[in-house]
């Protein structure tokens, strides 16, 4: 603080000290009035200059007085801080020693009857918290920015932490790791620009660990009890207590848990504190300012090329969030290889686009310009020339070429490599983060408070032999039936919306065709913007809007029906919600792509006997160059639109909400804007926060695997999005959200099985796309079996793929109203006999040969890819041999240390000569354990 600022600060404190607790008519005004009253004739003997000077000083004094009373509340809060000699931007109690592990907030109006009940619940709840050993400190609402919110700060002392650390089986250091680190890679010097400093990447030394035991505290490396348990571990322990602390009995049922108190409005929020402001370090020496380090080294977009500090993320946010960012980072790394291969496949298509003989024939005035195609809709559409689709056919070759087949096979193998190598990476993290023996955290496996409250019937647990609540099978079956029916209803709603979009396609195509044919303004772009493309783009945009609306509605329905099912544990709750949401979004996002890929143009019929939807709308036909370009358009719009909208939701919306919520507090000095109020104004990262992050990435994974044969650039788009996604997620978590409650997880959970299922399905879908959506198989059949020009085998392919139709055979409903060119025969995309053949309009042998080739290709491609996939999965072990050796070494040393500790204790007792025979047996047994550990 500068000298002038310091003097001003001291003056304000002196003024506040002299006027604290008094109003505008207090001593300050009385002092000035008394001066005037005690000297009634003071101006009589003064000159006019002196009188003017006195009057001006008096007016100036009144102005200062008004300004002072205007900032009275500010001065009172400043005085309170100075009394405690501590800034309110702190993570400690007023004594500056006890750390704030958790914060509760509430509002209170004593005049309301409901608030009186809430006050009784709070009193009982807080009393029970104190009985468990937690220490509380309350901040009055007068000290809050709004003047309405009470804050209760919670500190867990050593006795509480050590007790519950043993209950939760938390692993703590017992010895520094003496295993030699892996050898350095000679290429590490090339990767130096992508590395972070060691103190950021490895914030703690590597230790051998063991489950904490309160009775064996001297066994563990406890240098300081205040810092032995990390803040993340401390808030996890406190939340464990809060979620199980009772607060009374209502309607004959025992009530407990902070979550229920939040639901009924007793408390407005419950959260752990960030350790500092994200843009600067904390002033307290005991605070490590890990949030600042994460922001400066990880969350800034300028650091997009740097590796992630996973150990620091795990230390600050817990293993569950750490494993998510580890998976997202590894997924992004693997996408790089798929993006490079996909880009070269696209580049190949772009380079060879002008050499494609099929598009040359379509664009040729002598071939495509002479072929008259049958109308694409009934009555209103006219006959058209094939070369009007010249540009779309040229661009279609960029995605429909030989490289498509190669990339589809490559992606089938890439998916397997990604999943298998992720298992190895996950196994390494399990070892490094002490999760080897961790199945699921006890907090996850224990009964949900909602389950215990809603299930009134009890039965004996066969394992624990204790009475516990359970849900009768009849109630469970009824809830499942209702839940399943609800999910099916919403899936049916998606299918209905997709059918509505298809109807839109069929209904507007004729309108687009007539507008583009008769509009001179659109003629310059008519070669690019065809009626088919206009219909496809607008339908895709409409479909995307419907997808987002249905997502918004179904999210709330899915949570409601999952709550209604009353899952037993937190893990069961997450798994059920995951399956519901994924099943819905799978159908919602992919149904339109499945329609274009596998249904559009496949059930059209032929001009004399078209197929109609609901006997009203004629089914869509594919472009003469195939439907693949439309699938690419659909995939690009839905995938890119989802990613853009997701980033807006994740970054911009929380920023605006936080900016609006803290607009008043920004005018206050930082030491008056308390740490708990700063975090209170942030958004809440709820228990389903990571669920939505995983869901977003898994849906993206589906886009780049299920339909990648139609769009080789999909992995590149996903890569660019994920580079942004990592920084957006880290930025919002570090700056825009309250600190999440730390929790453990040893894997990505049920998402691993979903990814495995999608990997298998992707082989099937890509095989069908290559066979039925692209033109590769018909071209290969023509090349090897039906070509008439051995010097240029693909010459004549377009003419071979189009059949003849006599316009006389049009039905009355299909016959075009206008036929200005007096067309007698037209062409359509199919393999049928001409009208003058004995088997008029029946399929030719070429059609059956192509169909047989398509089926053979699907079978061969699937078997080849599946064999390679399973061979690669068998070849790559899930756990690296190095990690296995380290796990065995750590187990051996840990057991040895524990057994030697027991041996020393029994030997001490033996020296005391109390019950020597029994103690001698225990000493002998302990020696045997040490020898057994060595043998193992």
């Amino acid at each position: 603080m500068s000298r002038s600022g310091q003097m001003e600060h001291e003056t304000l404190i002196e003024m506040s000290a002299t006027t604290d607790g008094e109003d505008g008519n207090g001593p300050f005004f009385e002092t000035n009035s008394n001066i005037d009253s005690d000297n009634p004739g003071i101006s009589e003997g003064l000159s006019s200059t002196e009188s003017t000077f006195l009057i001006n000083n008096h007016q100036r004094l009144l102005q200062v007085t008004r300004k002072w009373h205007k900032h009275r509340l500010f001065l009172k809060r400043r005085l309170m801080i100075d009394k405690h000699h501590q800034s309110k931007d702190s993570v400690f109690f007023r004594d500056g020693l006890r750390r704030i592990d958790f914060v509760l907030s509430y509002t209170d109006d004593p005049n309301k009857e409901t608030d009186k009940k809430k006050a009784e619940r709070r009193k009982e709840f807080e009393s029970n918290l104190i009985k468990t050993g937690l220490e509380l400190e309350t901040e009055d609402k007068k000290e809050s920015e709004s003047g309405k919110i009470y804050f209760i700060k919670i500190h867990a002392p050593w006795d509480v932490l050590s007790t519950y650390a043993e209950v939760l089986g938390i692993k703590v250091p017992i010895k520094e790791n003496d295993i030699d680190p892996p050898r350095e890679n000679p290429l590490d010097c090339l990767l130096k620009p992508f590395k972070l400093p060691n103190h950021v990447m490895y914030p703690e030394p590597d230790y051998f660990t063991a489950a904490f035991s309160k009775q064996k505290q001297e066994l563990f490396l406890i240098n300081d009890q205040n810092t032995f348990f990390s803040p993340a571990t401390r808030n996890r322990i406190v939340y464990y207590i809060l979620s199980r602390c009772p607060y009374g009995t209502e309607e004959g049922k025992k009530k407990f848990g902070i979550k229920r108190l939040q639901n009924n409005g007793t408390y407005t929020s419950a959260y752990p504190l960030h350790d500092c402001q994200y843009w600067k370090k904390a002033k307290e020496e005991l605070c490590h300012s890990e949030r600042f380090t994460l922001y400066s080294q990880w969350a800034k977009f300028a650091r997009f090329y740097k590796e992630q500090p996973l150990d620091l993320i795990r230390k600050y946010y817990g293993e569950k969030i750490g494993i998510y960012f580890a998976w997202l980072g590894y997924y992004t790394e693997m996408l790089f290889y798929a993006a490079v291969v996909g880009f070269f496949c696209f580049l190949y298509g772009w380079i060879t686009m002008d050499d494609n003989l099929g598009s040359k024939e379509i664009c040729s005035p002598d071939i495509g310009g002479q072929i008259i195609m049958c109308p694409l809709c009934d009555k209103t559409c006219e006959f058209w020339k094939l070369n009007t689709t010249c540009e779309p056919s040229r661009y279609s070759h960029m995605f429909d070429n030989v490289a498509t087949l190669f990339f589809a096979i490559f992606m089938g193998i890439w998916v397997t490599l990604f999943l298998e190598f992720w298992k190895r990476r996950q196994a390494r993290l399990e070892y490094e983060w002490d999760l080897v023996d961790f199945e699921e955290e006890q907090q996850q496996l224990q009964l949900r408070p909602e389950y215990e409250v809603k299930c009134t019937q009890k039965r004996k647990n066969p394992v624990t032999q204790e009475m516990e609540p359970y849900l009768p099978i009849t109630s469970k079956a009824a809830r499942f039936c209702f839940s399943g029916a609800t999910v099916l209803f919403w899936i049916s709603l998606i299918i209905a919306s997709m059918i509505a979009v298809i109807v839109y396609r069929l209904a507007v195509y004729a309108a687009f065709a007539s507008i583009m044919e008769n509009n001179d303004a659109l003629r310059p772009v008519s070669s690019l913007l065809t009626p088919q493309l206009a219909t496809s783009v607008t339908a895709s945009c409409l479909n995307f809007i419907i997808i987002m609306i249905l997502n918004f509605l179904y999210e709330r329905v899915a949570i409601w029906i999952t709550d209604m099912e009353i899952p037993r544990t937190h893990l069961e709750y997450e798994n059920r919600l995951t399956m519901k949401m994924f099943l819905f979004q799978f159908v919602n996002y992919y149904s339109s792509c499945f329609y274009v890929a596998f249904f559009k143009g496949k059930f059209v019929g032929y001009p004399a006997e078209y197929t109609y939807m609901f006997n009203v709308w004629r089914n869509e036909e594919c472009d003469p160059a195939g439907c693949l370009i439309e699938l690419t358009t659909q995939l690009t719009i839905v995938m890119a639109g989802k990613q853009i909208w997701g980033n807006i939701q994740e970054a911009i919306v929380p920023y605006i909400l936080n900016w609006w919520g803290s607009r008043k507090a920004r005018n206050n000095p930082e030491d008056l804007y308390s740490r708990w109020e700063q975090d209170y104004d942030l958004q809440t990262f709820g228990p389903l926060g990571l669920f939505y992050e995983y869901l977003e990435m898994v849906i993206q994974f589906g886009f780049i695997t299920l339909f990648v044969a139609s769009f080789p650039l999909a992995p590149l788009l996903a890569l660019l999005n994920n580079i942004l996604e990592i920084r957006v997620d880290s930025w919002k978590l570090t700056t825009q959200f309250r600190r999440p409650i730390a929790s453990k997880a040893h894997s990505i959970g049920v998402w691993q099985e979903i990814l495995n299922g999608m990997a298998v399905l992707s082989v099937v879908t890509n095989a069908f796309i290559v066979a039925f959506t692209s033109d590769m198989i018909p071209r290969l059949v023509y090349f090897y079996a039906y070509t008439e020009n051995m010097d240029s085998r693909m010459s004549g392919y377009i003419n071979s793929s189009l059949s003849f139709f006599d316009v006389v055979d049009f039905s009355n409903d299909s016959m075009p109203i206008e036929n200005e060119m007096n067309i007698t025969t037209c062409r359509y995309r199919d393999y049928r006999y001409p009208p003058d053949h004995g088997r008029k309009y029946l399929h030719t042998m070429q059609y059956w040969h192509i169909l047989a080739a398509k089926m053979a290709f699907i079978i061969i491609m699937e078997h080849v890819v599946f064999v390679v996939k399973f061979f690669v999965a068998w070849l790559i072990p899930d756990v690296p041999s190095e990690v296995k050796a380290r796990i065995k070494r750590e187990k051996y040393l840990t057991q040895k240390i524990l057994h030697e500790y027991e041996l020393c204790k029994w030997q001490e007792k033996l020296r005391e000569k109390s019950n020597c025979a029994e103690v001698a047996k225990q000493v002998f047994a302990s020696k045997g354990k040490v020898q057994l550990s060595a043998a193992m």
Side-chain angles (χ1 to χ4, degrees), residues 414-613:
W414 174 88
V415 169
T416 304
L417 291 174
F418 163 62
L419 294 175
E420 292 302 318
F421 281 121
W422 164 246
K423 290 178 185 176
R424 292 169 63 84
R425 177 73 176 123
Q426 189 171 260
R428 192 178 296 277
L429 287 176
E430 285 182 23
Y431 166 72
E432 293 174 355
W433 292 356
D434 297 320
L435 300 170
V436 173
D437 298 325
F438 170 80
E439 293 183 1
E440 287 298 339
E441 190 177 6
Q442 293 185 22
Q443 186 173 341
Q444 285 286 92
L445 289 178
Q446 289 189 353
L447 301 181
R448 293 172 65 237
E450 295 84 353
Y451 182 85
E452 296 182 88
V453 168
K454 294 179 181 179
C455 299
T456 56
Q457 300 186 35
K458 294 190 176 184
R459 66 181 177 186
K460 184 181 288 187
N461 187 313
V463 178
T464 62
Q465 294 296 307
E466 294 179 358
M467 299 298 292
E468 65 178 22
Y470 84 103
L471 192 65
I473 189 66
T474 53
S475 176
K476 188 181 292 186
R479 293 172 187 273
F480 272 124
C481 289
F482 178 78
S483 175
T486 305
V487 173
L488 288 176
F489 168 77
W490 279 89
I491 290 177
S492 302
L493 196 62
I494 296 172
I495 296 173
S497 67
M498 185 187 70
I499 293 174
V501 173
I502 295 172
V503 170
Y504 165 84
R505 286 172 173 269
L506 303 177
V508 302
Y509 176 80
F512 277 127
S514 61
I515 291 173
M516 291 181 179
E517 286 174 3
N518 301 321
N519 194 329
D520 294 334
L522 294 176
R523 291 193 183 279
V525 294
S526 60
S527 60
L528 294 174
L529 188 63
T530 61
Q532 293 99 320
L533 183 60
T535 303
S536 179
V537 170
T538 56
S540 298
C541 294
L542 177 63
N543 183 65
F544 175 72
I545 294 171
I546 294 174
I547 285 172
M548 302 314 296
I549 293 173
L550 290 176
N551 270 351
F552 176 79
L553 297 175
Y554 182 75
E555 279 180 12
R556 286 142 185 81
V557 174
I559 293 173
W560 174 69
I561 60 178
T562 306
D563 289 336
M564 183 269 302
E565 290 176 7
I566 319 180
R568 189 171 182 270
T569 64
H570 293 281
L571 183 65
E572 192 176 333
Y573 180 91
E574 288 185 9
N575 289 346
R576 290 189 188 180
L577 182 61
T578 298
M579 295 309 299
K580 289 183 183 66
M581 285 295 295
F582 174 74
L583 180 62
F584 175 84
Q585 294 216 3
F586 183 91
V587 178
N588 198 18
Y589 279 108
Y590 302 144
S591 57
S592 58
C593 293
F594 272 102
Y595 163 73
V596 175
F598 306 124
F599 295 97
K600 182 180 178 181
K602 307 299 186 296
F603 309 99
V604 176
Y606 63 99
E609 194 176 331
Y610 282 123
T611 306
Y612 291 82
M613 177 180 284

Side-chain angles (χ1 to χ4, degrees), residues 640-702:
K642 181 186 182 303
Q643 292 177 349
I644 293 170
W645 178 250
N647 287 326
I648 290 173
Q649 279 187 312
E650 292 181 12
I652 298 177
V653 173
Y655 177 80
I656 293 174
L657 293 176
N658 288 336
W659 176 84
W660 181 256
S662 60
R663 64 192 184 282
K664 292 182 180 178
R666 287 195 297 272
N667 298 323
N668 286 342
E670 292 179 357
D671 55 358
L672 293 184
Y673 190 23
S674 65
R675 162 66 30 220
W676 43 92
E677 285 184 276
Q678 292 177 40
D679 285 12
Y680 180 81
D681 289 337
L682 297 178
Q683 300 301 301
T684 303
F685 192 80
L688 297 178
L690 277 186
F691 166 80
Y692 292 114
E693 300 296 341
Y694 275 119
L695 184 62
E696 178 186 4
M697 288 295 102
V698 169
I699 294 297
Q700 182 205 83
F701 181 82

Side-chain angles (χ1 to χ4, degrees), residues 245-364:
C245 182
Y247 60 85
T249 304
E250 296 178 7
E251 300 176 358
K253 295 181 180 179
K254 185 179 179 182
K255 304 292 183 181
F256 58 90
I258 186 63
K259 187 174 180 181
R260 192 172 184 85
L261 288 171
Q262 286 182 263
N263 290 340
N264 60 33
T266 303
Y267 290 100
T268 55
S269 62
Y271 54 93
L273 291 180
H274 283 294
D275 62 356
C276 67
Q277 294 172 333
Y278 67 85
W279 64 86
K280 68 175 185 177
K281 292 184 177 181
K283 297 177 182 178
E284 294 97 339
E285 294 181 358
L286 296 176
C287 188
H288 295 156
S289 299
E290 291 171 347
R291 185 190 189 191
F292 169 78
T293 304
L294 286 170
Y295 173 72
S296 59
Q297 300 289 340
W298 176 52
K300 288 185 176 179
F301 185 74
R303 296 272 176 171
F304 74 92
Y305 62 94
K306 295 284 188 180
E307 60 184 337
Q308 296 188 88
L310 294 177
D311 287 348
L312 185 58
I313 297 169
R314 171 244 183 173
K315 181 185 176 186
Y316 191 76
Y317 291 116
E319 287 80 1
K320 193 169 186 178
I321 290 179
I323 206 79
Y324 163 72
F325 280 104
W327 176 82
L328 179 57
Y330 193 76
Y331 171 45
T332 305
E333 289 176 23
M334 292 295 290
L335 272 176
F336 173 78
Y337 305 105
V340 169
V341 176
F343 176 75
F344 278 110
C345 289
F346 171 79
L347 199 62
Y348 169 82
W350 182 65
I351 293 173
T352 59
M353 181 172 62
D354 294 331
D355 299 329
N356 179 33
L357 195 57
S359 59
K360 281 184 177 180
E361 290 184 350
I362 292 176
C363 297
S364 171

